[in-house]
């Protein structure tokens, strides 16, 4: 590693801690964007523990008080919604991104000004964006909403409804997730014991939804139920 690269790495580790201690903000988020691990077929590896572990180490090196954009969740989620929803459950039965390790320090997102918008460096599949929001707005972490999706894509009503349900249900950064199904075409999870959500095209859910839960909102290939 050359001198410039070493200096950059030191700055990335030290600056967040310095900024936090000297400004004491209510909320601070940093960006550490590394590539996921990929297989020879061009798809992300199932196991992304090294990637999310790098994010966790970066947060802890910064003092643990800052949050970081959960690039691991974004990368896995945008691959999962394309017929591989089994990716959304790691080997320990937890969410496979940073939200499965350090949810209170994870900022989840679907796209931002770099990955989407005009640059399109790593865009979420456009026809699956609604499923993406149904996931991050019902799961732990601190979800962020992309301006373009909310104002330019005509998704304001659906996203706002999911966000309202999240708030009124008390879902927060450290909420608990119990994954009930993670198949190619179906992902179902119970959050905090009072919400169940599903994404994926499969309609037959068997006995996964108890009778004391009712639909709170639904859309193309997603649904959210709340306990009555």
């Amino acid at each position: 590693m050359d001198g410039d690269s070493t200096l950059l790495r030191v700055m990335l580790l030290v600056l967040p801690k310095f900024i936090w201690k000297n400004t004491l903000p209510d909320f601070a988020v940093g960006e550490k964007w590394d590539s996921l691990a990929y297989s020879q077929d061009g798809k992300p590896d199932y196991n992304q523990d090294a990637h999310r572990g790098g994010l966790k180490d970066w947060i802890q090196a910064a003092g643990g008080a800052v949050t970081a954009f959960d690039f691991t969740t974004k990368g896995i989620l945008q691959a999962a919604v394309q017929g591989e929803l089994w990716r959304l459950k790691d080997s320990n039965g937890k969410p496979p991104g940073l939200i499965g390790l350090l949810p209170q320090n994870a900022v989840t997102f679907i796209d931002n000004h770099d990955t989407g918008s005009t640059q399109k460096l790593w865009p979420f599949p456009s026809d699956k964006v609604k499923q993406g929001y149904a996931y991050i707005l019902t799961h732990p972490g601190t979800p962020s909403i992309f301006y373009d999706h909310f104002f330019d894509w005509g998704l304001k009503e659906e996203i706002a409804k999911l966000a309202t349900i999240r708030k009124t249900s008390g879902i927060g950064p450290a909420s608990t997730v119990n994954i009930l199904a993670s198949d190619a075409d179906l992902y179902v999870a119970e959050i905090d014991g009072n919400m169940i959500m599903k994404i994926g095209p499969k309609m037959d859910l068997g006995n996964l939804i108890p009778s004391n839960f009712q639909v709170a909102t639904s859309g193309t290939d997603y649904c959210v139920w709340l306990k009555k």
Side-chain angles (χ1 to χ4, degrees):
M1 179 179 290
D2 60 36
D4 289 343
S5 297
T6 301
L7 177 60
L8 176 59
R9 175 163 291 186
V10 171
M11 289 175 66
L12 286 173
L13 291 175
V14 173
L15 280 178
K17 193 171 185 178
F18 174 82
I19 292 170
W20 181 272
K21 285 186 175 181
N22 286 275
T23 62
L24 296 178
D26 291 329
F27 180 81
V29 59
E31 179 176 297
K32 183 180 184 294
W33 184 359
D34 297 321
S35 177
L36 272 67
Y38 286 88
S39 304
Q40 291 184 346
D41 60 5
K43 294 183 178 182
D45 290 341
Y46 167 69
N47 187 328
Q48 296 293 338
D49 286 350
H51 190 272
R52 63 176 175 174
L55 282 173
K56 180 181 178 182
D57 292 345
W58 184 84
I59 291 167
Q60 293 177 335
V66 298
T67 63
F69 287 109
D70 192 348
F71 281 94
T72 316
T73 288
K74 171 180 165 56
I76 294 173
L77 182 59
Q78 64 186 38
V81 295
Q82 301 186 82
E84 299 179 344
L85 291 169
W86 45 265
R87 292 180 177 274
L88 296 177
K89 182 178 180 181
D90 71 11
S91 59
N92 295 313
K94 296 182 178 181
L98 181 61
I99 61 172
L101 285 183
L102 207 63
Q104 65 271 24
N105 292 84
V107 174
T108 52
F109 70 105
I110 301 303
D111 270 321
N112 61 26
H113 61 284
D114 288 322
T115 67
S117 193
T118 56
Q119 297 194 65
K120 300 185 184 301
L121 296 177
W122 197 37
F124 203 89
S126 59
D127 60 332
K128 311 293 185 183
V129 164
K130 294 179 183 180
Q131 291 185 62
Y133 280 108
Y135 182 88
I136 69 169
L137 287 170
T138 57
H139 278 59
T142 300
S144 59
I145 297 169
F146 187 35
Y147 180 99
D148 292 23
H149 294 157
F150 196 73
F151 291 105
D152 300 335
W153 284 39
L155 303 180
K156 181 176 181 179
E157 183 176 343
E158 288 183 85
I159 293 174
K161 189 163 188 179
L162 285 165
T164 298
I165 291 170
R166 177 186 182 87
K167 182 177 180 179
T168 57
S169 300
I171 305 301
S175 287
T176 59
V177 179
N178 179 23
I179 299 174
L180 304 176
S182 56
D183 302 319
D185 56 356
L186 177 67
Y187 172 84
V188 182
E190 182 180 58
I191 297 86
D192 286 348
N194 59 11
M195 173 192 287
I196 296 177
M197 61 77 67
K198 86 100 175 177
I199 56 175
K202 187 173 182 179
M203 300 299 292
D204 183 6
L205 305 184
N207 298 318
L208 289 175
I209 313 301
S211 59
N212 62 333
F213 279 75
Q214 62 184 5
V215 174
T217 189
S218 63
T220 304
D221 294 337
Y222 76 85
C223 189
V224 178
W225 296 262
L226 295 177
K227 185 178 285 187
K228 297 178 182 178

